[in-house]
Amino acid sequence: MQLHISPSLRHVTVLPGKGVREYIKVKVGSRRVSCRMLIYSLLFFTFLLRFVFVLTAVDTIDGESKCSTLGCLGKKLGPRLLGSRLEPKVPDVMYQILDKTMSKDELQGRLDNIPQTLEDFMAEIKEIKPDAKTFALKLREMVSLMEQRTRTAKIQEYLYRHVASSSIPKQLHCLALRLANEHSTNAAARLQLPSAELVPALVDNSYYHFVLATDNVLAASVVAKSLVHNALRPQKVVLHIITDRKTYFPMQAWFSLHSLSPAIIEVKALHHFDWFTKGKVPVLEAMEKDQKVRSQFRGGSSAIVANETEKPNIIASKLQALSPKYNSVMNHIRIHLPELFPSLKKVVFLDDDIVIQTDLSPLWDIDMNGKVNGAVETCRGEDKFVMSKRLKNYLNFSHPLIAEAFDPNECAWAYGMNIFDLEAWRKTNISLTYHHWLEQNLKSDLSLWQLGTLPPGLIAFHGHVHIIDQFWHMLGLGYQENTSFADAETAGVIHFNGRAKPWLEIAFPQLRPLWTKYISFSDKFIKSCHIRAS
């Protein structure tokens, strides 16, 4: 081949080496582009793009860590030429491996070879550079081990919380003992509550009547003080405190020595009520049967925790069902309010784990529209964790008795701060319905519901509930640590429902000051029992 370049550099001639006169002449300086040259250029670039696409796709199709020559070339050149990057897909073999669960026995046999941390896992992967299948196997082992340990830790936490919430703190036990001793030695601790001239107010319906049933002196003191402190007309407030026989003297001693005048405080034990001493009391009979059934059906906390098939939240629910609170007469007694207070027309019932932060007298102005129970519903609200409770959260709808009678998606409501129209209540069969369903649950080995007085209450008051504004009752401060102090501070009544009661060390520290602000830590009884703010 011969190459001739003209002196002006405007022509280049290529001659075949065999002397053939055919040649190619290129005009270097020409500004014209022929149609043939344009077509050739388009064909060339089309071929180049398709070639790059094939090179890039080869490695993705292979799906392996090692790529072919063409695949590697495409992987290197493709993104540079195209100006973009094609993300590889997860190989199907990884889905197949990760879909299979590992049993506890399988994990036990491989504990020595399973990475304990993500750092260990990544170091091992970088060292051995496994294929997709081996990578998925090692990832499944590590995740399964972490899940098992997390489950064990959660269950252990629930068990500790159950023990902490079920036992009486030594400080509260100390307070009750010191007050009982004070009652026996100090005449001022044995004053009649209320004084003789104020007794008529106990049945006067022009007053605002509140009922508190508890055997916790410290909790009762906070409820009473917060109620009176925030009342606009404390002289119109009557608080009826119902307690049991063992707590009566300490409770009377406390409120005798810590006057909340001008409010009127009554302290009575259950055995002081005439109705409670006459004949059989259905709720007491049901509680005795319930204790026997639970002792046989539950098998105790150790049996609940030993179950390896149930989810941690189910185990937590069963542990909570063992709490003495849920089988306490103080918890069930509210269903007998019309009999306990035959002269009263309307009362507000208060739990002992609440704090009142506003004047509650406007509750008497609410038109109940003939309903019996004024309550806050618990299926609507900004807090989706606390305010998401429907009947299906409390009742077992797999049981035909429940499924036939109720709608699982019907909104639930809250116990803890309830307005009860006792006149309307006496015209219904609510109390009989309550006891009927308690019996049905006992006959069904506690399979209709598992814990508390709320499930039978939801049934008994079904169709008799008037929904009130959520301002009057903020829930979840005993099991929802995400509740902010600022939000809780703006509610009319806050409720520490859940295990983390404010008088326990497991209380959420950011919320506890809302409760402790109503305790005088300089009081001699509080100081002597080492009850502190934190």
Side-chain angles (χ1 to χ4, degrees), residues 245-518:
R245 189 186 295 267
K246 67 178 176 59
T247 315
Y248 171 69
F249 293 130
M251 193 76 75
Q252 186 188 37
W254 177 270
F255 286 100
S256 294
L257 297 172
H258 300 82
S259 174
L260 290 174
S261 180
I264 300 168
I265 308 295
E266 178 191 31
V267 177
K268 291 181 73 172
L270 283 173
H271 62 278
H272 293 152
F273 290 90
D274 293 338
W275 172 85
F276 216 69
T277 58
K278 294 178 180 178
K280 295 182 178 180
V281 180
V283 70
L284 293 182
E285 291 184 339
M287 285 173 55
E288 291 173 2
K289 295 177 183 178
D290 183 74
Q291 286 177 335
K292 293 178 181 178
V293 173
R294 285 181 190 275
S295 62
Q296 299 170 4
F297 178 71
R298 294 294 177 193
S301 58
S302 58
I304 294 173
V305 172
N307 192 317
E308 296 182 358
T309 59
E310 288 185 321
K311 295 181 179 179
N313 62 323
I314 301 298
I315 290 176
S317 177
K318 289 187 174 183
L319 285 173
Q320 193 172 4
L322 288 179
S323 174
K325 172 183 174 64
Y326 291 106
N327 197 43
S328 167
V329 66
M330 296 293 104
N331 219 19
H332 283 277
I333 200 62
R334 72 192 82 193
I335 201 64
H336 293 297
L337 288 176
E339 293 89 351
L340 295 175
F341 300 97
S343 301
L344 298 183
K345 297 179 179 180
K346 183 180 287 188
V347 300
V348 169
F349 188 87
L350 306 172
D351 273 355
D352 63 1
D353 52 356
I354 69 163
V355 177
I356 294 124
Q357 303 184 131
T358 190
D359 176 44
L360 295 186
S361 61
L363 295 176
W364 268 259
D365 298 327
I366 294 176
D367 184 1
M368 299 275 283
N369 296 316
K371 303 293 186 181
V372 174
N373 179 5
V376 168
E377 62 181 356
T378 55
C379 69
R380 299 178 184 88
E382 294 182 4
D383 192 334
K384 300 302 180 185
F385 181 66
V386 175
M387 305 298 285
S388 61
K389 303 297 188 292
R390 300 182 182 273
L391 294 190
K392 62 185 177 183
N393 296 108
Y394 300 101
L395 304 175
N396 177 20
F397 278 87
S398 64
H399 197 290
L401 283 178
I402 298 295
E404 292 170 4
F406 305 101
D407 176 7
N409 293 313
E410 187 174 339
C411 194
W413 46 267
Y415 261 158
M417 200 293 303
N418 301 85
I419 313 165
F420 289 120
D421 186 333
L422 300 185
E423 283 190 309
W425 190 337
R426 294 184 184 102
K427 299 174 184 178
T428 70
N429 59 353
I430 288 173
S431 299
L432 292 176
T433 302
Y434 185 92
H435 295 302
H436 168 75
W437 281 93
L438 282 181
E439 289 289 339
Q440 291 298 318
N441 195 34
L442 291 171
K443 290 177 182 177
S444 303
D445 285 337
L446 306 181
S447 60
L448 303 186
W449 65 84
Q450 292 183 341
L451 59 90
T453 56
L454 180 55
L458 292 171
I459 295 174
F461 287 101
H462 192 257
H464 299 285
V465 178
H466 175 74
I467 302 303
I468 62 176
D469 192 275
Q470 291 181 5
F471 165 78
W472 295 110
H473 192 181
M474 184 179 191
L475 298 143
L477 277 72
Y479 68 86
Q480 169 63 303
E481 61 182 335
N482 294 327
T483 302
S484 72
F485 182 92
D487 288 342
E489 199 175 26
T490 60
V493 175
I494 54 174
H495 193 173
F496 289 84
N497 58 312
R499 290 194 187 93
K501 301 300 184 189
W503 53 83
L504 299 176
E505 291 188 10
I506 59 174
F508 300 126
Q510 74 275 20
L511 299 175
R512 197 166 185 261
L514 294 168
W515 185 80
T516 55
K517 67 185 289 187
Y518 293 102

Side-chain angles (χ1 to χ4, degrees), residues 96-162:
Q96 295 170 5
I97 296 296
L98 295 175
D99 273 342
K100 298 176 182 177
T101 58
M102 291 191 72
S103 67
K104 187 176 181 180
D105 294 335
E106 287 180 287
L107 282 173
Q108 287 295 330
R110 295 189 50 79
L111 283 179
D112 295 337
N113 299 321
I114 299 176
Q116 302 298 301
T117 65
L118 180 60
E119 185 179 356
D120 294 341
F121 175 78
M122 290 306 300
E124 183 176 342
I125 291 300
K126 289 177 181 179
E127 181 181 352
I128 64 177
K129 296 180 180 178
D131 57 19
K133 181 178 180 180
T134 306
F135 180 89
L137 286 169
K138 289 190 171 295
L139 180 62
R140 185 185 67 169
E141 290 175 349
M142 190 183 76
V143 172
S144 298
L145 179 62
M146 295 300 109
E147 283 184 341
Q148 185 184 103
R149 288 179 173 174
T150 300
R151 180 184 184 278
T152 302
K154 278 188 174 182
I155 292 172
Q156 201 67 28
E157 178 194 357
Y158 292 144
L159 179 60
Y160 291 153
R161 285 184 173 273
H162 164 67

Side-chain angles (χ1 to χ4, degrees), residues 174-175 178-179 181-183 185-186 188-189 253-254 257-258 519-531:
C174 165
L175 182 63
R178 288 187 177 275
L179 288 169
N181 180 67
E182 193 74 13
H183 185 275
T185 59
N186 185 356
W254 177 270
L257 297 172
H258 300 82
I519 298 176
S520 175
F521 292 98
S522 61
D523 180 86
K524 69 174 184 178
F525 297 104
I526 299 296
K527 286 180 66 176
S528 64
C529 289
H530 306 289
I531 298 173

Side-chain angles (χ1 to χ4, degrees), residues 14-229:
V14 181
L15 299 176
K18 295 181 180 181
V20 182
R21 298 301 299 170
E22 297 176 358
Y23 62 90
I24 301 172
K25 183 180 287 187
V26 180
K27 291 186 178 182
V28 178
S30 175
R31 295 181 181 178
R32 296 179 182 179
V33 179
S34 65
C35 292
R36 182 179 295 177
M37 182 61 70
L38 182 60
I39 293 173
Y40 287 162
S41 299
L42 290 174
L43 289 174
F44 173 75
F45 282 112
T46 301
F47 171 76
L48 181 62
L49 289 173
R50 295 183 64 182
F51 180 70
V52 171
F53 174 77
V54 171
L55 292 180
T56 307
V58 166
D59 192 49
T60 302
I61 295 173
D62 289 343
E64 297 180 356
S65 58
K66 295 180 179 180
C67 57
S68 62
T69 304
L70 287 177
C72 289
L73 182 60
K75 189 174 182 180
K76 294 177 181 178
L77 297 180
R80 296 180 183 178
L81 294 174
L82 295 176
S84 62
R85 185 174 186 85
L86 297 177
E87 294 295 335
K89 295 181 179 179
V90 177
D92 289 339
V93 66
M94 293 188 68
Y95 289 114
Q96 295 170 5
I97 296 296
L98 295 175
D99 273 342
K100 298 176 182 177
T101 58
M102 291 191 72
S103 67
K104 187 176 181 180
D105 294 335
E106 287 180 287
L107 282 173
Q108 287 295 330
R110 295 189 50 79
L111 283 179
D112 295 337
N113 299 321
I114 299 176
Q116 302 298 301
T117 65
L118 180 60
E119 185 179 356
D120 294 341
F121 175 78
M122 290 306 300
E124 183 176 342
I125 291 300
K126 289 177 181 179
E127 181 181 352
I128 64 177
K129 296 180 180 178
D131 57 19
K133 181 178 180 180
T134 306
F135 180 89
L137 286 169
K138 289 190 171 295
L139 180 62
R140 185 185 67 169
E141 290 175 349
M142 190 183 76
V143 172
S144 298
L145 179 62
M146 295 300 109
E147 283 184 341
Q148 185 184 103
R149 288 179 173 174
T150 300
R151 180 184 184 278
T152 302
K154 278 188 174 182
I155 292 172
Q156 201 67 28
E157 178 194 357
Y158 292 144
L159 179 60
Y160 291 153
R161 285 184 173 273
H162 164 67
V163 173
S165 62
S166 300
S167 55
I168 301 175
K170 62 181 181 180
Q171 294 91 339
L172 298 189
H173 185 61
C174 165
L175 182 63
L177 290 178
R178 288 187 177 275
L179 288 169
N181 180 67
E182 193 74 13
H183 185 275
S184 64
T185 59
N186 185 356
R190 298 192 296 272
L191 296 177
Q192 179 183 345
L193 293 175
S195 57
E197 66 272 15
L198 295 176
V199 168
L202 300 179
V203 293
D204 188 340
N205 283 290
S206 66
Y207 285 78
Y208 304 122
H209 292 268
F210 299 87
V211 178
L212 168 65
T214 182
D215 58 359
N216 185 329
V217 177
L218 187 62
S221 72
V222 171
V223 174
K225 189 172 182 179
S226 65
L227 170 66
V228 176
H229 177 79

